[in-house]
């Protein structure tokens, strides 16, 4: 991810898109996270500035793994993070985890299959893995290149990289209601860049404040409220999978 795009990402971390995704995380973990333990060991991979930590910390003690220096500066300020791991994957961890999360991270890594195996190797038996990735390869644009994405996923292509000792509890596309609007906005941004003399190497900006951001968040939250373990939407801006390591 280029520096300007990462700065945009950090600036937008409190906006409607990230706030909505955190609500989805809370929703899914509410269905599947174990409730018989006081404090679960949780690891978030690619934690950014820590915007998902408050949701994760409801279920236990959170460690984070991040390699970007700006993200690390923010994470080290947080009092709700137990351990900041400043190494890339694969790396040696000091403990195994009850929950490992990777939110829009797997697409950044060349060896996505190896990354999923690393996650499985570092989960406790019966542990959960919760992953989100951008969906639909045909929607890959300069936006993805600016963010350092290697790919976008179909349901089938993501399922193909899941290790055999992880069973699927739930998976679905999400951000479905707003996806047609996202398509229009993305292609308008792409076309605009085609007619400018200077190539825009940054990510597409996302409304993160004001009335528009509030409206988009409200729509997104309605979709999340309707999400159940059996929900299986066939399209959307992104895709999630909740997996459990076999005992």
């Amino acid at each position: 991810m280029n520096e300007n795009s990462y700065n945009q990402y950090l600036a937008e971390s409190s906006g409607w898109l990230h706030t909505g995704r955190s609500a989805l995380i809370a929703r899914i973990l509410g269905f599947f996270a174990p409730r018989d333990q006081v404090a679960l060991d949780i690891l978030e991979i690619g934690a950014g500035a820590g915007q998902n930590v408050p949701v994760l910390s409801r279920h236990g003690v959170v460690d984070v793994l991040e390699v970007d220096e700006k993200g690390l500066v923010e994470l080290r300020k947080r009092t709700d993070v137990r351990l900041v791991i400043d190494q890339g994957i694969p790396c040696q961890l000091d403990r195994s985890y009850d929950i490992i999360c990777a939110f829009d991270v797997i697409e950044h890594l060349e060896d996505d299959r190896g990354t999923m195996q690393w996650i499985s190797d570092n989960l406790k038996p019966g542990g959960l893995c919760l992953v989100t990735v951008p969906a639909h390869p045909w929607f890959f644009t300069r936006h993805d290149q600016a963010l350092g994405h290697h790919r976008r996923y179909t349901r089938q292509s993501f399922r193909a990289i899941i290790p055999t000792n992880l069973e699927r509890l739930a998976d679905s596309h999400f951000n479905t209601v707003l996806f047609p609007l996202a398509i229009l906005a993305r292609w308008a941004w792409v076309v605009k860049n085609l007619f400018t003399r200077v190539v825009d190497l940054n990510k597409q900006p996302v409304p993160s404040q004001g009335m528009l951001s509030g409206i988009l968040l409200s729509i997104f939250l309605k979709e999340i409220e309707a999400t159940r373990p059996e929900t299986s939407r066939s399209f959307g801006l992104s895709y999630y999978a909740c997996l459990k390591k076999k005992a």
Side-chain angles (χ1 to χ4, degrees):
M1 186 185 306
N2 68 52
E3 184 176 359
N4 286 340
S5 291
Y6 195 80
N7 289 337
Q8 284 180 266
Y9 165 80
L10 291 179
E12 295 166 358
S13 62
S14 61
W16 76 272
L17 188 58
H18 292 282
T19 301
R21 189 177 62 183
S22 290
L24 176 69
I25 293 164
R27 181 78 171 169
I28 300 303
L29 289 180
F31 289 120
F32 295 113
R35 300 180 182 180
D36 57 349
Q37 293 177 249
V38 175
L40 302 174
D41 286 313
I42 303 169
L43 174 66
E44 183 183 2
I45 301 167
Q51 59 268 23
N52 299 309
V53 171
V55 168
L56 297 176
S57 62
R58 297 174 193 171
H59 299 277
V61 182
V62 180
D63 295 344
V64 294
L65 186 151
E66 179 59 64
V67 295
D68 188 274
E69 196 57 44
K70 290 185 179 179
L72 289 168
V73 168
E74 297 303 316
L75 291 168
R76 287 170 177 146
K77 296 176 184 176
R78 301 189 68 97
T79 59
D80 51 359
V81 169
R82 175 176 61 186
L83 176 66
V84 177
I85 304 168
D86 58 356
Q87 300 180 66
I89 295 172
C91 63
Q92 185 69 39
L93 300 178
D94 294 334
R95 58 170 57 86
S96 55
Y97 289 89
D98 299 293
I99 301 174
I100 298 180
C101 302
F103 305 127
D104 285 14
V105 171
I106 305 298
E107 68 277 6
H108 290 269
L109 304 173
E110 290 189 30
D111 186 8
D112 55 353
R113 189 182 299 272
T115 298
M116 290 301 298
Q117 184 61 57
W118 181 88
I119 289 173
S120 175
D121 292 343
N122 288 284
L123 273 175
K124 298 176 184 178
L128 293 180
C129 168
L130 182 56
V131 175
T132 66
V133 292
H136 306 298
W138 56 263
F139 201 45
F140 193 96
T141 66
R142 286 180 180 172
H143 171 81
D144 296 276
Q145 293 172 330
L147 287 172
H149 293 175
H150 289 282
R151 66 196 77 80
R152 298 178 74 95
Y153 288 88
T154 65
R155 187 193 303 265
Q156 292 72 26
S157 66
F158 187 84
R159 286 180 176 181
I161 67 170
I162 298 174
T164 56
N165 63 342
L166 294 183
E167 62 174 315
R168 281 184 291 109
L169 300 179
D171 70 333
S172 176
H173 290 85
F174 67 96
N175 218 334
T176 297
V177 176
L178 291 170
F179 190 40
L181 180 61
I183 294 172
L184 290 174
R186 180 68 50 80
W187 288 113
W189 178 77
V190 169
V191 170
K192 176 185 175 182
N193 283 317
L194 288 176
F195 292 95
T196 58
R197 294 182 179 181
V198 179
V199 177
D200 187 354
L201 299 177
N202 299 318
K203 65 180 286 296
Q204 180 190 10
V206 176
S208 57
Q209 299 180 29
M211 182 180 296
L212 178 57
S213 180
I215 292 171
L216 295 174
L217 177 59
S218 178
I219 295 170
F220 194 9
L221 291 177
K222 289 292 184 183
E223 177 183 306
I224 292 167
E225 289 172 7
T227 299
R228 302 284 187 275
E230 63 273 15
T231 297
S232 183
R233 301 182 180 97
S234 59
F235 67 95
L237 186 62
S238 301
Y239 165 89
Y240 76 82
C242 186
L243 314 166
K244 182 177 181 179
K245 186 172 181 176
K246 298 176 183 177

